[in-house]
Amino acid sequence: MGLIHGGWLVARALKREGVEVVFTLSGGHIAGIYDGCIREGIRVVDTRHEQAAVHAAEGWAKVTRKPGVALLTAGPGVTDGVTGVANAYLAGSPLLVIGGAAPLGLWDRGALQEMNQLDLLRPITKWARTVHETTRLGEYTAAAFRQMLNGKPGPVFLEMPMDILNNFADTDTLSDPGEPASYRAGGRTAPDPTSVERAAVLLEKARRPVIMAGTAVWWCEAAVELRQLAERIQAPVFLNGAGRGSLPPTHQLFFSAARRKALEQADTILAIGTRMDFRLNHGQPPLIPTSAQLIWFDLAGEDIGVNRGAAVGLVGDVGLAMRQLTAATKQLQHDEWLTHVRNEEQKGQERANAALNSEAVPIHPMRLCREIRDFIDAETTVIGDGGDIVSYGARVINVEHPGYWLDSGPLGCLGTGTGFAMAAQLARPGKRVLILHGDGAFGLNGMEFESMVRQKLPIVSVIGNDGAWGQIKHPQKAIVGHTTAAELAPGIRYDKMVEALGGYGELVERPAEIRPALERAFASGLPACVNVLLDPNKPYGRSTSVAV
């Protein structure tokens, strides 16, 4: 092929890995990679803030199970992306972030945007390196994919100085790393057989088993294995994180409203690809009984045993672990237990009925979430980006398939929604993408609606507008009797902002207006905002039963 520049070498390596799209904000330090991407047929999608670019790259991973790629220019470009990298790190999302840097020949001489980026990224990545030679750009890019996908997935960072990207290399003399299968293993890791046998013995003794399944089920494409295991042992299933949708809401073993009651009374809990973090009360009573036997599945041993000891830990591919456990366990029956959980589920749903059907003005947040639930179809991707409103939404809105509910994950990062949505719309063209936004969260990356308009991505944001950082305001008031820095201006016309950026907008003030506004927003074919004014005095009741 002859002489090509370093940026093209990087793009060739990305193409070899099957990368279809990269996310960025325009920057001179990485212009060579842009040129390479155009030459290799990789789409370059640009945003208005680097944080959104990294969120979009993580969103791509979350909806496709393929690594996302973000390109950040040097200095403030890299620092602007740090929040997105941190979010992917805690969520365990495979993500390659390439950061430009000042030319190597000018390091420590006061070059534009020169700074120590590697030490900034090391604590929030699985692996971080600087590439010092143009001829090794392809090699390091291949290594980045190996590192991010080995064991538990996560983000990696490659720093590429400007002169390294702009220099030329002779492809006829370069060593070719080969196809991905030659430099990274793709096989699935099986759990220890003895541990599987011990788990089977515990299950056969259980009288009140519960399955709590999360994000690793999605990464391992293990929804079928989860259903088969649940049906084998006849246990109620609750889902959180990217595990949502692994069982359809119509399945007889799927539950949501009885989660707290079931966990509090369980004698055996199967934690499948989910952490014992704040979402599960750190594995402690009253939500997780001290006496309960915990069978814990996860991709890597680092999460097993954190906050709560496990009776059995199954480390490896969770789909393979569930398949082996299903085979090792005889068919079980827990009719009395399931009847009890179904009764608790019905009671929970009945308690919510008044709010779900409320005709109050301002609108009750539960009524908004019910309208969204009833409007979406099986192919709608729903993205939660907010505080109280997303907690309400997670309680009410269920999706039919895994990968169709996205939230920020353990970091609880606001502002992820627009980036996630852009990625989902690119990955699923022609399908609906809906963001359930808090008004505070919308403000963080709302300018991305200009990016959506420019790139013709017809995403609809439904804003639960209560004029406050509600998740902060209400606890403040309850604890100290007043609020500080928790109020926003009431009734802000975010819909007008989206209109000004070239999209479609509507203000909704009454419950009966929600459904028609959703229909018009999606029919517009434009990025859209349905700005719903909510009752500011309806906080979400915080408890350990929250599982977004």
Side-chain angles (χ1 to χ4, degrees):
M1 192 172 182
L3 292 175
I4 66 173
H5 62 74
W8 193 352
L9 284 174
V10 174
R12 283 209 317 173
L14 296 177
K15 186 73 171 182
R16 185 173 57 240
E17 284 283 354
V19 173
E20 301 171 46
V21 59
V22 296
F23 300 92
T24 191
L25 188 152
S26 183
H29 290 88
I30 50 176
I33 306 179
Y34 298 156
D35 178 72
C37 286
I38 298 303
R39 293 175 186 273
E40 293 292 334
I42 298 171
R43 183 171 180 176
V44 179
V45 174
D46 60 307
T47 63
R48 296 296 298 265
H49 196 287
E50 288 89 354
Q51 179 182 333
V54 180
H55 289 325
E58 185 190 4
W60 181 266
K62 281 176 173 281
V63 297
T64 67
R65 293 194 188 93
K66 299 175 182 177
V69 179
L71 310 177
L72 309 179
T73 199
V78 170
T79 61
D80 279 353
V82 164
T83 295
V85 178
N87 195 75
Y89 183 66
L90 288 191
S93 300
L95 174 66
L96 169 59
V97 177
I98 295 175
L104 270 179
L106 294 176
W107 280 23
D108 297 320
R109 300 175 71 181
L112 175 66
Q113 297 177 334
E114 178 191 357
M115 62 173 292
N116 182 354
Q117 299 174 154
L118 214 60
D119 285 350
L120 188 66
L121 274 296
R122 276 196 178 105
I124 53 171
T125 56
K126 289 185 68 179
W127 185 78
R129 293 291 188 276
T130 299
V131 186
H132 294 271
E133 298 179 31
T134 301
T135 55
R136 300 190 69 187
L137 284 165
E139 173 191 344
Y140 270 95
T141 303
F145 279 86
R146 180 170 63 247
Q147 293 290 340
M148 84 170 88
L149 295 170
N150 180 45
K152 181 180 177 180
V156 296
F157 178 70
L158 279 179
E159 181 179 63
M160 298 182 179
M162 189 175 181
D163 50 351
I164 300 303
L165 287 172
N166 292 343
N167 288 342
F168 284 79
D170 189 344
T171 59
D172 295 332
T173 62
L174 288 178
S175 60
D176 187 348
E179 292 303 308
S182 70
Y183 57 76
R184 56 182 178 86
R188 295 188 167 190
T189 304
D192 172 54
T194 302
S195 297
V196 173
E197 292 173 7
R198 288 171 52 212
V201 170
L202 287 177
L203 282 178
E204 291 176 5
K205 294 178 180 178
R207 295 294 175 264
R208 298 183 303 280
V210 170
I211 294 175
M212 187 74 228
T215 297
V217 177
W218 161 250
W219 292 124
C220 295
E221 300 183 62
V224 170
E225 288 85 349
L226 174 63
R227 176 180 56 79
Q228 291 171 342
L229 177 60
E231 291 172 354
R232 184 76 162 180
I233 68 174
Q234 287 294 292
V237 177
F238 300 87
L239 303 168
N240 72 0
R244 293 170 63 94
S246 295
L247 256 66
T250 54
H251 195 283
Q252 62 176 351
L253 294 174
F254 171 81
F255 297 87
S256 59
R259 177 177 175 269
R260 183 182 183 89
K261 292 290 186 181
L263 287 171
E264 286 180 344
Q265 298 170 33
D267 63 3
T268 306
I269 297 172
L270 287 77
I272 303 175
T274 190
R275 296 172 180 168
M276 288 288 157
D277 58 13
F278 66 95
R279 294 168 294 181
L280 290 172
N281 198 41
H282 307 285
Q284 300 302 310
L287 186 65
I288 308 297
T290 303
S291 59
Q293 299 281 353
L294 185 59
I295 302 171
W296 199 330
F297 305 63
D298 223 317
L299 287 167
E302 63 200 60
D303 288 330
I304 293 178
V306 176
N307 292 328
R308 171 63 180 255
V312 179
L314 302 179
V315 179
D317 181 275
V318 299
L320 192 54
M322 285 190 286
R323 197 179 312 139
Q324 292 179 349
L325 186 55
T326 300
T329 308
K330 65 183 181 182
Q331 180 68 55
L332 304 176
Q333 297 297 328
H334 298 106
D335 294 344
E336 185 177 344
W337 171 235
L338 286 171
T339 298
H340 173 71
V341 176
R342 289 191 184 104
N343 288 338
E344 293 295 338
E345 182 83 359
Q346 184 175 353
K347 290 176 186 176
Q349 291 171 345
E350 289 171 353
R351 285 193 296 269
N353 279 340
L356 291 170
N357 298 301
S358 171
E359 294 291 338
V361 176
I363 297 167
H364 195 292
M366 286 279 276
R367 175 62 187 269
L368 169 60
C369 295
R370 193 214 84 188
E371 293 286 350
I372 294 172
R373 179 198 69 188
D374 295 347
F375 173 79
I376 62 174
D377 60 21
E379 298 301 317
T380 302
T381 304
V382 180
I383 295 156
D385 185 8
D388 277 2
I389 190 60
V390 175
S391 294
Y392 275 119
R395 181 176 164 187
V396 174
I397 302 166
N398 294 309
V399 293
E400 297 282 341
H401 310 296
Y404 281 75
W405 167 276
L406 280 70
D407 56 54
S408 64
L411 188 61
C413 179
L414 299 184
T416 58
T418 49
F420 284 2
M422 290 173 68
Q425 193 71 84
L426 288 164
R428 296 168 180 161
K431 306 296 185 183
R432 290 174 174 172
V433 177
L434 183 151
I435 310 170
L436 177 58
H437 257 137
D439 49 340
F442 177 88
L444 292 173
N445 282 310
M447 277 301 295
E448 296 309 326
F449 273 83
E450 189 274 334
S451 304
M452 298 174 196
V453 169
R454 182 162 29 85
Q455 292 168 99
K456 297 180 172 55
L457 302 175
I459 293 154
V460 175
S461 167
V462 182
I463 300 178
N465 187 347
D466 63 357
W469 298 96
Q471 202 171 65
I472 306 301
K473 170 186 171 181
H474 298 294
Q476 272 189 357
K477 195 167 185 178
I479 294 168
V480 298
H482 59 82
T483 63
T484 303
E487 304 283 353
L488 299 170
I492 293 176
R493 296 298 301 270
Y494 301 105
D495 52 302
K496 293 292 186 184
M497 171 185 163
V498 171
E499 283 184 351
L501 294 172
Y504 177 86
E506 280 200 44
L507 179 70
V508 171
E509 299 181 85
R510 297 181 176 279
E513 299 170 358
I514 300 172
R515 177 67 179 250
L518 290 173
E519 291 172 347
R520 288 189 291 268
F522 278 99
S524 73
L526 296 170
C529 171
V530 178
N531 185 13
V532 183
L533 300 187
L534 298 184
D535 189 337
N537 298 310
K538 289 291 184 288
Y540 188 85
R542 291 288 137 204
S543 76
T544 53
S545 65
V546 178
V548 295

